[in-house]
């Protein structure tokens, strides 16, 4: 005999199980709506095989005739042709040609965080058209951003499941104990079509900061201590995850996680707590550049930044013991450095810095030669009000996309070539890369 | 009739916004996600062929939900025929093994018990407890009376509770 209580409990369990299953149900590639291709039942008989070349020729003639007719009609009416399933961009400056021996990235991925479900949008660099939309499962919020492999064909996202921003546990702190970050992966083919979104690697307690996929996609590095996250339509306040300041690397084949604690990192004064920021891989797939900041003096508002090269084949432990200093911000630097990524060959760092001028803040991208520290300016924005900025580089380290406020574009010859996309897809979130290639 | 440019664009937008939810609904009813994806694709293809007027509706979701439930019923009817004729019917589970791993054992048990219920009972429970529809809305979706929805839901929930009790 089933009691009313049991029925009520069963209803609650069912509701909960369906909601949870819907959350984890990875959304496969959404094929655009298109006309069906009629299929003939059965096989073409052998006796009529000679019709094939004739039919093919007739088709070619028909297509040419239709094209001519269509072109005439278009010239008369100037009306648009059939709409693509995913609208493209009317403003898209072509990516400048690559130098000899260099290939241009063909795709980049942006995030639409205002949608009810966070969506990852694959776009072609040649015309900015969206070629695929990959939604994260419902209820999963982006944390740690997105990352791409060196060949810009495999993309990763870090997310955690929640229906809203986590509740503040106390004044100025947030409890992450109940949350777990999962890593998602999808591949893109030569046409820009996306494959299935799959969960990879083990879950990670708490929320993670910026992530970086290794060049071959076999490992994911992440900042375990600088967690901001994005919910539908807004960025939630960040904080420090459980376990303190650390950098971790997951081996996706074995599921093993190695962690390096970031205390006492030179040149920060002994006993100073440093906060790790971005991580980026060198082409060897073994060396990870870790940038970190610390306050120059206890009362100073400005942060100092340095970057160290970590040997990820070490078994974990102290970052200081397994790394060497690559670069540190000179004491009288006029820039306030925000982000730093290493080039695949390890010969330079690209940094994003802001500079206060009499007309407001200016965002500057600099390339710093290692180990000399000499820099050259890649791009300097007009002085304006301070807006959050971030940047991403492709697998070669040569091509850079800068996001400043709600504008994004690639940098070439000191200029920012704007990419048009809905504002929500390009918004820059502190610590979260919303665009990658 | 093919939709005009703007109608096609609106239909594509409706498709993009509603497809995930409709696929899940179909997957829960059919217990088979690839089949649910086909059903949803068919629904939108039909709309596309009819000129995409769906976009004119203020809220197309109720209409689409009804169309998907009908599509699922056709699949279930076909399956019944196949099962009778050849004893062959291997639906894929709605969740991949990897996705299922993300669910607790308790939730997996609930979903497995749901999948074993007869189709009509499963439809009612999914529409009630996943889509969150009222009895009147379920009745309209399934083309049955509110009374039938009420009695089917009560029997389905009792059957589910019994199945879960026995599996303990």
């Amino acid at each position: 005999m089933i009691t009313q209580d049991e029925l009520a409990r069963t209803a609650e369990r069912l509701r909960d199980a369906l909601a949870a299953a819907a959350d984890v149900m990875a959304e496969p590639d959404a094929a655009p709506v298109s006309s069906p291709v009629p299929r003939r039942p059965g096989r073409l008989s052998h006796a009529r095989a000679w019709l094939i070349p004739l039919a093919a020729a007739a088709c070619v003639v028909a297509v040419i005739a239709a094209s001519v007719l269509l072109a005439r009609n278009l010239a008369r009416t100037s009306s648009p042709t059939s709409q693509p399933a995913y609208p493209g961009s009317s403003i898209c400056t072509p990516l400048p040609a690559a130098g000899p021996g260099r290939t241009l990235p063909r795709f980049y991925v942006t995030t639409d965080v205002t949608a009810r479900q966070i969506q990852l949008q694959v776009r072609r660099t040649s015309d900015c058209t969206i070629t695929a939309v990959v939604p994260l499962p419902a209820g999963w919020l982006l944390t740690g951003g997105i990352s791409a492999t060196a060949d810009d064909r495999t993309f990763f996202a870090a997310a955690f499941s929640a229906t809203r921003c986590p509740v503040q546990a106390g004044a100025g702190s947030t409890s992450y104990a109940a949350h777990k970050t999962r890593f998602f992966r999808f591949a893109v083919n030569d046409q820009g079509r996306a494959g299935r979104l799959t969960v990879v690697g083990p879950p990670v307690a708490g929320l993670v900061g910026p992530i970086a996929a290794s060049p071959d996609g076999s490992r994911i590095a992440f900042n375990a201590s600088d967690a901001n996250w994005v919910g539908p339509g807004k960025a939630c306040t960040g904080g420090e995850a459980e376990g303190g300041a650390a950098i971790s690397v997951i081996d996706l084949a074995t599921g093993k996680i190695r962690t390096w604690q970031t205390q006492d990192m030179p040149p920060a004064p002994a006993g100073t707590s440093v906060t790790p920021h971005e991580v980026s891989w060198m082409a060897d797939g073994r060396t990870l550049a870790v940038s970190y900041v610390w306050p120059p003096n206890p009362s100073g508002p400005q942060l100092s930044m340095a970057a160290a090269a970590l040997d990820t084949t070490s078994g974990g432990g102290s970052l200081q013991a397994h790394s060497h200093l690559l670069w540190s911000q000179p004491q009288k630097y006029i820039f306030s450095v925000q982000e730093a990524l290493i080039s695949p060959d390890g010969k330079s760092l690209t940094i994003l810095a802001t500079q206060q001028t009499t007309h407001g803040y200016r965002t500057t991208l600099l390339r710093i030669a290692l180990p000399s520290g000499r820099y050259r300016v890649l791009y300097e924005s007009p002085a304006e009000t301070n807006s959050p900025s971030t940047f991403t580089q492709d697998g070669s380290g040569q091509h850079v996309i800068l996001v400043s406020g709600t504008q994004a574009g690639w940098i070439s010859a000191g200029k920012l070539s704007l990419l048009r996309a809905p504002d929500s897809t390009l918004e820059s979130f502190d610590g979260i890369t919303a665009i990658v290639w | 009739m093919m939709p005009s440019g703007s109608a096609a664009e609106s239909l594509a937008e409706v498709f993009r916004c509603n497809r995930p939810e409709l696929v899940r609904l179909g997957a829960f009813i059919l217990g088979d996600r690839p089949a649910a994806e086909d059903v949803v694709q068919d629904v939108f293809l039909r709309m596309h062929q009819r000129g995409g007027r769906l976009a004119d509706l203020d809220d197309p979701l109720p209409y689409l939900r009804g169309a998907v439930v009908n599509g699922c019923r056709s699949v279930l009817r076909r399956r019944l025929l196949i099962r009778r004729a050849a004893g062959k019917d291997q639906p894929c589970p709605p969740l991949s093994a990897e996705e299922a791993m993300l669910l607790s054992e308790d939730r997996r048990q609930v979903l497995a018990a749901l999948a074993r219920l007869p189709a009509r009972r499963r439809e009612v429970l999914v529409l009630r407890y996943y889509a969150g529809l009222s009895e009147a809305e379920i009745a309209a979706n399934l083309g049955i009376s509110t009374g039938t929805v009420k009695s089917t839901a009560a029997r389905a929930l009792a059957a589910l509770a019994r199945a879960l009790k026995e599996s303990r």
Side-chain angles (χ1 to χ4, degrees):
Chain A
M1 180 72 186
I2 304 292
T3 65
Q4 282 303 315
D5 268 3
E6 283 173 316
L7 284 179
R9 241 188 344 265
T10 304
E12 201 42 54
R13 284 173 71 188
L14 176 61
R15 191 177 279 119
D16 167 71
L18 288 169
D23 276 353
V24 301
M25 204 183 279
E27 178 54 24
D29 176 25
V33 180
S34 59
S35 300
V37 178
R39 261 181 270 164
R40 282 169 182 271
R43 296 171 64 186
L44 195 66
S45 73
H46 209 67
R48 292 186 185 168
W50 60 273
L51 280 172
I52 292 173
L54 203 60
C59 283
V60 170
V61 171
V63 166
I64 291 170
S67 306
V68 169
L69 199 63
L70 187 64
R72 280 183 187 160
N73 283 340
L74 281 176
R76 260 205 309 272
T77 61
S78 297
S79 63
T81 55
S82 62
Q83 297 288 320
Y86 303 123
S89 166
S90 57
I91 302 172
C92 177
T93 315
L95 193 62
R102 289 181 190 160
T103 52
L104 289 174
R106 286 189 60 194
F107 303 102
Y108 62 104
V109 170
T110 56
T111 51
D112 187 348
V113 297
T114 57
R116 196 163 49 86
Q117 271 176 282
I118 290 175
Q119 295 182 340
L120 308 176
Q121 300 176 341
V122 183
R123 291 166 182 265
R124 260 199 308 261
T125 51
S126 57
D127 57 6
C128 305
T129 300
I130 297 176
T131 58
V133 173
V134 183
L136 289 183
W140 285 76
L141 310 184
L142 199 63
T143 174
I146 47 182
S147 183
T149 52
D151 62 358
D152 85 333
R153 288 297 191 280
T154 307
F155 295 86
F156 294 86
F160 74 104
S161 180
T163 51
R164 61 183 80 84
C165 294
V167 177
Q168 296 277 321
S173 67
T174 303
S175 170
Y176 299 141
H179 298 293
K180 279 190 168 67
T181 297
R182 299 295 319 227
F183 297 95
F184 295 86
R185 177 178 65 196
F186 68 95
V188 171
N189 68 12
D190 285 347
Q191 285 72 48
R193 304 280 295 163
R196 189 185 175 84
L197 185 75
T198 54
V199 177
V200 293
V204 172
L207 312 181
V208 308
I211 67 169
S214 64
D216 64 355
S218 64
R219 297 196 288 167
I220 300 174
F222 59 91
N223 175 344
S225 60
D226 181 24
N228 291 306
W229 63 96
V230 175
K234 64 175 179 176
C236 306
T237 320
E240 194 166 285
E242 280 192 304
I247 294 297
S248 296
V249 173
I250 293 183
D251 185 320
L252 297 181
T254 62
K256 191 171 178 185
I257 303 178
R258 288 178 180 156
T259 299
W260 292 266
Q261 307 297 331
T262 58
Q263 300 99 331
D264 294 324
M265 288 299 294
T272 306
S273 172
V274 306
T275 304
H277 267 204
E278 295 74 33
V279 283
S280 52
W281 290 92
M282 281 173 50
D284 61 9
R286 159 185 178 150
T287 312
L288 186 74
V290 179
S291 64
Y292 49 94
V293 296
W294 68 95
N297 63 64
S299 58
Q302 284 269 341
L303 294 170
S304 293
M305 179 177 268
L310 166 68
D311 178 2
T312 58
T313 58
S314 61
S318 156
L319 179 65
Q320 187 195 14
H322 299 288
S323 67
H324 64 271
L325 186 67
L326 286 170
W327 173 84
S328 75
Q329 181 176 341
Q331 286 218 329
K332 290 189 177 173
Y333 224 43
I334 55 168
F335 306 107
S336 169
V337 182
Q338 315 285 319
E339 296 181 12
L341 301 177
I342 195 147
S343 62
D345 61 7
K347 289 180 179 170
S348 64
L349 273 178
T350 303
I351 66 170
L352 177 74
T354 54
Q355 184 188 356
Q356 194 170 9
T357 71
T358 50
H359 299 100
Y361 285 90
R362 174 173 284 168
T363 299
T364 309
L365 262 180
L366 303 163
R367 186 152 290 162
I368 296 170
L370 297 176
S372 71
R374 275 198 293 271
Y375 68 79
R376 69 185 170 93
V377 175
L378 296 180
Y379 171 74
E380 203 168 42
S381 78
E384 56 185 6
T385 52
N386 193 16
S387 55
S389 300
T390 187
F391 79 101
T392 183
Q393 62 184 20
D394 74 336
S396 72
Q398 296 300 315
H399 304 102
V400 173
I401 293 180
L402 174 72
V403 183
S404 180
T406 55
Q407 284 194 326
W410 33 68
I411 304 292
S412 173
K415 287 184 181 164
L416 179 71
S417 301
L418 279 180
L419 302 171
R420 183 184 171 275
D423 287 352
S424 61
T425 64
L426 294 177
E427 203 165 332
S428 167
F429 299 103
D430 188 23
I432 297 179
T433 308
I435 183 167
V436 292
W437 61 0
Chain B
M1 177 188 163
M2 290 295 146
S4 64
S6 62
E9 198 178 351
S10 305
L11 182 63
E13 187 59 24
V14 171
F15 175 78
R16 205 160 61 87
C17 293
N18 294 289
R19 181 180 181 273
E21 172 144 5
L22 294 170
V23 168
R24 287 190 195 102
L25 178 71
F28 289 138
I29 292 175
L30 293 171
D32 181 344
R33 196 162 65 193
E37 286 166 5
D38 288 347
V39 166
V40 173
Q41 185 76 5
D42 282 349
V43 166
F44 278 94
L45 276 177
R46 281 202 302 279
M47 287 309 305
H48 183 75
Q49 287 160 344
R50 287 174 194 165
R53 304 318 302 168
L54 183 66
D56 293 347
L57 297 173
D58 284 340
D59 179 10
L61 190 57
Y63 174 86
L64 291 169
R65 216 184 261 137
V68 168
V69 171
N70 281 336
C72 289
R73 287 176 160 188
S74 302
V75 171
L76 291 171
R77 271 197 297 274
R78 277 201 300 277
R79 272 194 196 156
L80 197 64
L81 288 173
I82 293 169
R83 211 165 24 227
R84 279 179 190 157
K88 285 180 195 167
D89 182 28
Q90 295 290 325
C92 307
L95 296 177
S96 69
E98 208 167 32
E99 290 161 359
M101 282 297 289
L102 294 174
L103 294 179
S104 64
E105 180 59 31
D106 180 65
R107 286 166 171 166
R108 286 203 294 264
Q109 272 181 9
V110 173
L111 294 173
L114 175 72
R116 287 194 295 270
L117 291 180
R120 170 58 66 84
R121 290 183 178 183
R122 202 161 60 225
E123 281 169 11
V124 171
L125 288 185
V126 169
L127 290 172
R128 182 81 188 90
Y129 295 104
Y130 172 65
L133 301 192
S134 67
E135 284 166 352
E137 287 169 326
I138 296 171
N141 259 290
L142 299 181
I144 54 178
S145 70
T146 315
T148 307
V149 172
K150 211 175 273 184
S151 59
T152 308
R155 285 186 194 125
L157 205 56
L160 193 68
R162 268 196 301 278
L164 290 171
K165 210 172 180 179
E166 284 161 13
S167 67
R168 261 189 236 151

